[in-house]
Amino acid sequence: MTVQVLLPGALAGLAGGAKHLDLEPAGGTLADLLDALAAEHPMLCRRIRDETGQVRRFVNVYVDGDDVRFQGGLTAPVRDGAEVQVLPSVAGG
Amino acid sequence: MTDLLAIGTRKGLWLARSDDERRTWTLSEPHLLAQEVAAVSIDTRRPQPRVLAGIQYGHWGPTVMWSDDLGASWEETDHGAIRFPEGEDAALARVWQLRPDSPERADVVWAGCEPHSLWRSTDGGCSFDLVRGLWDHPHRQTWEPGGGGGAVHTVLPDPASERVTVAMSTGGVYVSEDGGTDWQPRNRGISAGFLPDQEPEYGQCVHKVAVDASGPDRLYAQNHFGVYRSDDAGGSWTSIADGLPADFGFPIVSSPHDPGTAWVIPLVADMQRVPPDGRLRVHRTRDAGGTWTELGTGLPDGNWSAVMRDAFCADDHDSTGLYFGTRDGCVYASADEGDTFTLVADHLPDVLTVRAARLP
C-alpha cells in the first residue's frame, strides 16, 4: 500500500525539501506509517513523535482530513491511498 | 585572547564576544532562532571549542545540538542525543543542564533533564546514556515537579574522584561516590517549608548548588527559601542566609579560584519573585557565607525581573568574571568579581542560561 504524507514547510527541510512523501507502510495504522517514516527520515519523524511513539502534544495529524486523536491515535486506520497531513497546532508565546 | 559568552533564551541563542579583556562585548545575530535554549555549555577541552545547546523546538520536541564552529553551523543526532530506552514509558521533556567533565575525561559530558534524569555522554555530547542508578532509585517516584517541571538541573562531577553531585527540583541533593551507580540523598539541614515534614531526608526544592574553590567537600546551595553551606559534601547543611536581604532566589555561583567566595541574587520570596524593592543586586561573600556584601554598581533600580537558576555563571580569569541574564532579556557582565557591572545586551527574550569561556 502507498500513503501520501503532507508536511508543513517547517519540516520539509528534513525530507530534502519535499512537502509530499509517498510511503509504503507495512501495516494499516498510523503507528505503521510513522515507523515507515522513521526508517526513511528518522530526524523528521522525531519531530512528530517522541521516543515512546506518541505523537507530540503540539503536533496534529490528520488522516484523510480527520484528526487522529479522535480516530484511535496510533491505532487510527490508514488506508491504501490515504492522505496524511502533519500540521503544527496553535501553540506558543 | 577572545572571551565568549553564550546566552540561551526562550527564543534562541546569542553568542557575545570580547576581544579587549572583557571591557566590551559584541553580540552575534541569533542562533537557533525561535527555539528555547534552556541549557548551554562551551566545551573548551576540544581542539575546536564545541558549543552544546539543549533546545526545545516549540512544537517538535527537545534535543541536544552542537556547533564546532561557534554557531556557523549546527548538528544533531538523527535519532536524538537523549532518548529514553524502550520500555521506560518516558519521553525527554527538556534539557536543563549540559556539563562537560574534566579535561582528563575528555569526551565525557553530563546532562540533567526533565523528567528527573541524569545522562552521560562519552562522545562529546552527540549521544547520551541514561544513568540507571539515579533513574532506578526508589525515591524517584516521590520527586515532585517544581514550578518549571521536575528535573535534574545541576550536575557537578568531581574531577579528582568518581563523585557526582546532582540537585533537583524537587528531590534535593543526591550524591554518588561511584560515578553514578549508587545514590544517597544529602539534604540534612535544608528546609522544605512546602512539606509537612519541613526537614525531610529528601524532597527539597534545591534551586542550585555550587562547589567551593577549596575542594569538593564544601558546597553552597540556593534553596527554595534558604541559602546553605555544607562542609562535608552535603552530609549536613547550615544556613548562611544571615546578612542577605532575602533567602529566596535561584542561582548561586562560586569562585573557581578563591576559597570562600560565592555570589547570589536574592528575590523577595516564592510568592514574590522580584528583587527586593525593585533593586537588582548581586551579593558576594568572601568568607563562605559568614558575611555578605551588596554589589550594585552598574545594576538597575526599578527592576522587577528575576534571574533564573542557570542564568548566572563565572569565568575562570584570575579576576573572576561574572555574567547573568534576566527574564526581561538583559545580560550583565562584570570583569572584577562583581564590583562593577556593564550591560552586554538588552531586549532579548527571557534569559535561561549563560556560560562564559576563554577561547584557546
Side-chain angles (χ1 to χ4, degrees):
Chain A
M1 62 185 284
T2 301
V3 175
Q4 186 177 59
V5 177
L6 308 181
L7 298 172
L11 294 184
L14 298 175
K19 290 189 175 181
H20 296 184
L21 292 175
D22 288 325
L23 297 175
E24 296 181 353
T29 68
L30 178 63
D32 294 322
L33 178 66
L34 293 177
D35 287 346
L37 181 63
E40 289 193 26
H41 302 285
M43 200 180 294
L44 166 60
C45 196
R46 185 157 54 77
R47 302 291 198 270
I48 298 170
R49 66 177 184 181
D50 66 28
E51 61 262 50
T52 69
Q54 296 298 313
V55 174
R56 294 192 183 279
R57 180 182 175 193
F58 296 119
V59 177
N60 292 336
V61 179
Y62 299 87
V63 176
D64 292 326
D66 292 324
D67 187 339
V68 297
R69 289 196 172 83
F70 306 105
Q71 305 296 324
L74 292 171
T75 65
V78 179
R79 64 176 177 83
D80 184 20
E83 184 179 272
V84 176
Q85 189 166 17
V86 178
L87 288 173
S89 70
V90 178
Chain B
M1 170 71 67
T2 294
D3 286 87
L4 186 70
L5 174 62
I7 305 162
T9 79
R10 267 195 70 204
K11 296 186 180 182
L13 174 75
W14 280 260
L15 300 173
R17 296 173 66 108
S18 175
D19 297 309
D20 58 2
E21 303 297 323
R22 302 175 294 168
R23 283 191 288 276
T24 60
W25 295 83
T26 303
L27 196 66
S28 71
E29 294 297 309
H31 301 277
L32 308 172
L33 184 61
Q35 318 309 331
E36 179 194 84
V37 179
V40 70
S41 75
I42 306 167
D43 190 348
T44 56
R45 301 171 301 172
R46 313 174 67 82
Q48 296 295 323
R50 171 169 288 180
V51 179
L52 283 159
I55 72 139
Q56 168 74 259
Y57 290 101
H59 293 77
W60 316 116
T63 194
V64 174
M65 300 186 78
W66 68 90
S67 173
D68 290 336
D69 50 17
L70 301 181
S73 62
W74 292 88
E75 298 179 66
E76 63 179 297
T77 307
D78 273 357
H79 293 278
I82 296 176
R83 51 186 294 126
F84 281 92
E86 282 188 31
E88 289 301 334
D89 196 29
L92 178 68
R94 177 184 280 156
V95 181
W96 283 65
Q97 181 92 136
L98 291 165
R99 172 69 185 235
D101 206 311
S102 64
E104 290 70 34
R105 300 170 185 140
D107 287 321
V108 174
V109 178
W110 298 83
C113 293
E114 175 187 350
H116 293 94
S117 54
L118 177 66
W119 303 75
R120 186 173 185 271
S121 170
T122 57
D123 60 7
C126 303
S127 63
F128 290 79
D129 292 320
L130 179 63
V131 175
R132 277 282 175 189
L134 193 64
W135 181 251
D136 293 335
H137 199 286
H139 294 174
R140 182 171 64 83
Q141 300 300 332
T142 71
W143 298 335
E144 297 288 338
V152 173
H153 54 66
T154 301
V155 186
L156 300 167
D158 176 21
S161 74
E162 293 300 307
R163 179 185 296 167
V164 183
T165 302
V166 299
M168 304 182 284
S169 294
T170 69
V173 177
Y174 280 69
V175 178
S176 171
E177 299 286 1
D178 60 7
T181 303
D182 293 315
W183 293 86
Q184 295 83 38
R186 294 192 184 173
N187 298 287
R188 189 156 56 87
I190 297 180
S191 71
F194 53 91
L195 295 175
D197 176 1
Q198 298 199 355
E199 288 203 5
E201 180 188 13
Y202 58 90
Q204 283 84 347
C205 187
V206 175
H207 288 173
K208 203 68 186 177
V209 172
V211 181
D212 187 61
S214 62
D217 287 350
R218 173 167 279 184
L219 303 173
Y220 302 106
Q222 172 65 67
N223 189 46
H224 188 107
F225 284 130
V227 182
Y228 295 92
R229 188 188 76 229
S230 173
D231 294 326
D232 54 6
S236 60
W237 297 84
T238 56
S239 174
I240 54 171
D242 281 354
L244 290 170
D247 65 357
F248 190 87
F250 286 99
I252 189 163
V253 168
S254 58
S255 166
H257 308 298
D258 300 326
T261 297
W263 298 266
V264 293
I265 303 177
L267 304 176
V268 175
D270 66 343
M271 297 296 179
Q272 201 175 115
R273 300 180 182 197
V274 296
D277 302 317
R279 300 167 66 246
L280 182 61
R281 296 292 184 270
V282 174
H283 290 252
R284 180 179 63 205
T285 181
R286 295 284 198 193
D287 55 6
T291 59
W292 293 91
T293 300
E294 181 184 278
L295 307 170
T297 303
L299 299 178
D301 292 344
N303 183 288
W304 304 98
S305 189
V307 178
M308 298 288 90
R309 75 189 77 223
D310 211 48
F312 189 15
C313 74
D315 66 22
D316 63 355
H317 280 268
D318 290 341
S319 175
T320 301
L322 298 177
Y323 309 87
F324 71 90
T326 63
R327 292 203 73 177
D328 66 349
C330 295
V331 179
Y332 298 91
S334 169
D336 54 13
E337 311 206 341
D339 289 340
T340 59
F341 285 89
T342 57
L343 187 67
V344 173
D346 57 4
H347 305 303
L348 298 181
D350 320 35
V351 179
L352 304 176
T353 180
V354 294
R355 287 293 184 276
R358 283 189 281 185
L359 299 184

